Amino acid sequence: MNLPAQLFLDGSWRDSASGRRTTLTNPATEKSFVEIAAGDVADVNAAVESAQRAWESGWRDLAPGKREAALHAVARELREHIEEIAQLEMLQIGKPISDARDEALLGARVFEYYAGAVTRFCGQTIPVGRGGFDFTLRQPMGVVAAIVPWNFPFPIACWKAAPALAAGNCVVLKPASLSPLTALKLGELAHAAGLPPGVLQVLPGSGSAIGDALVTHPLIRKISFTGSTEIGRRIMELASRGLKRISLELGGKSPNIVFADADWRRAAGTSPMSVFANTGQDCCARSRVFVERSIYEPFVEQFVAATTKLIVGDPAKAETQLGPLVSASQRAAVEEFLADARKRNRTFACGGGRPHKTGYYLEPTVLLDVDKDDRCWREEIFGPVVCIRPFDDEAQMICDVNASPYGLSGSLWTNDLRRALRVAKAVESGVLSVNSHSSVHTEAPFGGFKQSGIGRDLGMAAMEGYTELKNVYVEM
Ligand code: NAP
């Protein structure tokens, strides 16, 4: 397999202006396997200027039907390369191959959805009081910087690039340093599908070296970021100087609430993968489980039994459910949380150790008897660790759920319709599923309350976020 190893700018491969390169390591083998060009500030300037040229010279004014056709062509190209994309994702971040295939397909599906959105995303006519004719236009912004993380590199790149392009913008995509390969492949395939040079460029490079230059570049009109709350805050501060539009998808500490009247056995059997999928490196991971006291013990027993059956190992095997963590430092950060739990004598119902000698693996870990002040209960761990606590009173439980700076996602299990609606309204989160762990739907808005972010990805809400709303009044 040919590995992309350069920047993809202005429709072609090139080295970075500085000649700098970074090495990628396969987290399952701990072996380095490729050196990738690392962009510099000069490359940021070149990419943004090329995007602006592409926007002004055609993409901005392309007939909607042609833009729709262009995005469908990208989706077709992606569908023809699903296996290659999946293999690259597995190699760079250790994602189990079956998940990597699903996510590659999701990326193609997202391009199809937004191809369809081009001719369905409309303005309004408004009967203004003084008469005349008033209507709104949804206009593209210009050049969008899309900055994405390493945990779902390909789908998140697609769900930023596709709506931004559908709305008529050009995109400079900056992948995480640990996971540039599938983003680069996306740039290459989009170009092969016929997107003109400069419309979608991919600029790998360290966030600390090029992030500020990208965010503050005067031609960047919108920054769409997914990543940590810390970097999101920095981007918001920098963007405020130029009053740039931003959308931020940030961290989470999502609850999983299980009432005694629910099909709690199904909840117990399915909940482990709601936190341990992607080895817990998921902003939606249901890492705080609230269980009504009357079913707490049997629920924990079944949760732990299901957890110990999970297959942790070689991501290349179809049956593997959990791969390694993305890097040695990510595993060390998770192990610090476990050390804190040990220091406080918390109960490890299972897990806590390293299951394999090679690779950045960690066992899925279930912690009990944790206190509300524990780091494990309060902070985003971004690894395979869950805490389960009993609750007695619904109102107090909701206070505890909402006592978090985050508000991204969550699950709620009950068969009482009125309770489901009441609690779903009361939980402070942008996304919530009832009797399910499904958080992300191509067609529905995705994003967070509070410090989990601003703005929404996916659905038609994302199209809104990549356009300016103009009102036109015509005197008659
Ligand atoms: P991160 O460190 O914030 O990095 C995210 C992206 O920002 C990477 O491309 C990174 O580049 C870049 N970056 C770093 N410093 C920057 C700067 N000063 N200016 C501009 N960009 C900069 O986050 P991560 O560790 O990759 O991802 C984990 C976090 O993402 C978790 O908190 C998780 O909850 C969150 N997340 C949220 C969602 C959501 O939808 N809400 C989805 C997935 C992940 P480098 O890699 O080169 O540093």
Side-chain angles (χ1 to χ4, degrees), residues 148 150-151 174 177 207 225-228 249-251 283 380 382 446:
V148 296
W150 46 259
N151 58 341
K174 194 210 95 57
S177 293
F225 171 79
T226 297
S228 61
E249 302 293 346
L250 309 174
C283 52
E380 182 178 50
F382 229 54
F446 175 77

Side-chain angles (χ1 to χ4, degrees), residues 146-152 156 159-160 174-179 204-215 223 225-232 234-235 238 248-252 281-284 330 380 382 406 408 440 446-448 452-453 457:
I147 305 176
V148 296
W150 46 259
N151 58 341
F152 294 97
I156 293 180
W159 76 50
K160 293 193 182 300
K174 194 210 95 57
S177 293
L178 293 171
S179 58
S206 137
S208 56
I210 64 173
D212 288 5
L214 185 59
V215 169
I223 302 109
F225 171 79
T226 297
S228 61
T229 296
E230 180 196 351
I231 302 293
R234 177 174 179 78
I235 287 174
L238 289 176
L248 307 172
E249 302 293 346
L250 309 174
Q281 302 164 121
D282 182 346
C283 52
C284 292
Q330 186 65 20
E380 182 178 50
F382 229 54
Y406 296 116
L408 184 57
V440 173
F446 175 77
S452 287
D457 278 329

Side-chain angles (χ1 to χ4, degrees), residues 256 264-275 303 306 413 436-437:
N256 182 9
W264 60 265
R265 289 177 185 81
R266 191 162 76 85
T270 56
S271 290
M273 281 304 273
S274 78
V275 56
F303 188 109
W413 294 79
S436 158
H437 294 302

